[in-house]
Amino acid sequence: MQFSKHNLFSKIKNSDNYFLVNVLSSSADILTPEEAKNFKAGAPINRELYSEKGYLVNPEEEEKLFKQKYLDFIDERADDEVQLFFTPWYTCNFACSYCFQDEYTNPNDEVANQVIDAFFTYVDRQFIGRKKYITLFGGEPLLNTPSKKKAIQYILDKSNDRNLEVAVVTNGYTLLDYIDVLKTAKIREVQITMDGTQEVHDARRMLRGGMGSYDKIAAG
């Protein structure tokens, strides 16, 4: 018997204890300093329990288990629902303090119908017979301009033609302005980010120009 190569072991922040996780057996335990010391020394206090939880293994048996779980994953993946992301633009009306997309620039911040058509043609071809739904992402997908509302409406119409549900990941600022558009589709969910109380949120998720966004998001 030897320690599994799928073990994850580390000290817990701001604690004397440690955590031990095995991602293959889905086991997780908190170890006292004494238990951790014995584990690091290769002499766990309760070998029978460690073996039962997959921390101590026969390498050959573990390899068989890994291969079986991988094959199970492949079989299940064929039947799983597919989430298909569509990002019409990276443009955003916010200047969040922690944004990781602010350098994603594209001078053509409008999406042509031909691009949307090509996306759905790809979906029709590559995911035929699969359970699936569309997620609109950005940037901010619900920017309130006539051209962008028209593009989102076109995407929703194409989704309706295929009886596909649509999810939207939005900062929520223009949600009220989009109710008439969203009502035309099979909306699965709308994901909106709030960063806490109004004071905290407005300090982190402000509009370009610095104005707070909390009140309008809350109204939406």
Side-chain angles (χ1 to χ4, degrees), residues 84-86 114-124 134 155:
L84 300 166
F85 285 86
F86 187 85
Q114 293 91 326
V115 174
I116 298 171
D117 291 339
F119 169 75
F120 280 99
T121 297
Y122 174 79
V123 171
D124 293 341
I134 308 296
I155 295 169

Side-chain angles (χ1 to χ4, degrees), residues 3-71:
F3 285 125
S4 168
K5 63 181 180 181
H6 300 285
N7 286 341
L8 300 176
F9 172 75
S10 183
K11 193 172 187 294
I12 298 174
K13 186 177 181 180
N14 300 324
S15 172
D16 293 329
N17 295 328
Y18 290 71
F19 69 79
L20 177 60
V21 174
N22 187 281
V23 295
L24 184 62
S25 65
S26 302
S27 297
D29 284 275
I30 294 176
L31 307 185
T32 65
E34 181 185 3
E35 291 171 327
K37 180 181 178 180
N38 283 276
F39 178 83
K40 288 190 286 187
I45 294 174
N46 190 333
R47 295 183 67 88
E48 182 177 348
L49 180 63
Y50 275 49
S51 176
E52 180 183 324
K53 291 194 169 188
Y55 303 132
L56 277 174
V57 297
N58 177 316
E60 293 182 358
E61 291 300 318
E62 182 177 57
E63 185 63 23
K64 290 179 182 178
L65 177 62
F66 176 83
K67 290 179 179 178
Q68 183 58 55
K69 288 204 169 188
Y70 180 74
L71 292 174

Side-chain angles (χ1 to χ4, degrees), residues 190-210:
V190 178
Q191 178 184 316
I192 301 172
T193 301
M194 301 289 277
D195 278 12
T197 62
Q198 182 169 4
E199 181 181 4
V200 173
H201 175 92
D202 283 346
R204 291 163 55 88
R205 296 182 65 78
M206 69 290 291
L207 290 167
R208 295 191 179 276

Side-chain angles (χ1 to χ4, degrees), residues 142-158:
L142 302 186
L143 291 176
N144 188 23
T145 69
S147 62
K148 286 182 167 51
K149 287 187 78 171
K150 186 176 180 180
I152 296 300
Q153 183 68 73
Y154 190 71
I155 295 169
L156 297 181
D157 290 343
K158 288 288 183 178

Side-chain angles (χ1 to χ4, degrees), residues 76-213:
E76 292 170 3
R77 186 177 63 177
D79 297 323
D80 282 349
E81 186 176 39
V82 181
Q83 181 183 20
L84 300 166
F85 285 86
F86 187 85
T87 302
W89 42 74
Y90 283 112
T91 309
C92 187
N93 52 343
F94 275 24
C96 300
S97 60
Y98 48 84
C99 182
F100 62 92
Q101 291 182 325
D102 55 355
E103 294 183 2
Y104 292 11
T105 58
N106 183 345
N108 300 314
D109 65 351
E110 303 288 344
V111 61
N113 284 355
Q114 293 91 326
V115 174
I116 298 171
D117 291 339
F119 169 75
F120 280 99
T121 297
Y122 174 79
V123 171
D124 293 341
R125 182 177 65 249
Q126 296 296 325
F127 298 96
I128 185 172
R130 294 289 301 272
K131 187 177 181 182
K132 51 192 173 287
Y133 68 99
I134 308 296
T135 295
L136 294 178
F137 201 72
E140 171 50 48
L142 302 186
L143 291 176
N144 188 23
T145 69
S147 62
K148 286 182 167 51
K149 287 187 78 171
K150 186 176 180 180
I152 296 300
Q153 183 68 73
Y154 190 71
I155 295 169
L156 297 181
D157 290 343
K158 288 288 183 178
S159 300
N160 286 337
D161 291 343
R162 293 157 176 80
N163 200 33
L164 294 176
E165 292 184 339
V166 177
V168 184
V169 179
T170 173
N171 59 39
Y173 191 78
T174 63
L175 187 58
L176 287 176
D177 303 305
Y178 262 87
I179 294 298
D180 58 332
V181 175
L182 297 178
K183 283 169 63 175
T184 66
K186 297 179 65 176
I187 299 300
R188 181 190 184 103
E189 64 182 15
V190 178
Q191 178 184 316
I192 301 172
T193 301
M194 301 289 277
D195 278 12
T197 62
Q198 182 169 4
E199 181 181 4
V200 173
H201 175 92
D202 283 346
R204 291 163 55 88
R205 296 182 65 78
M206 69 290 291
L207 290 167
R208 295 191 179 276
M211 192 171 73
S213 62

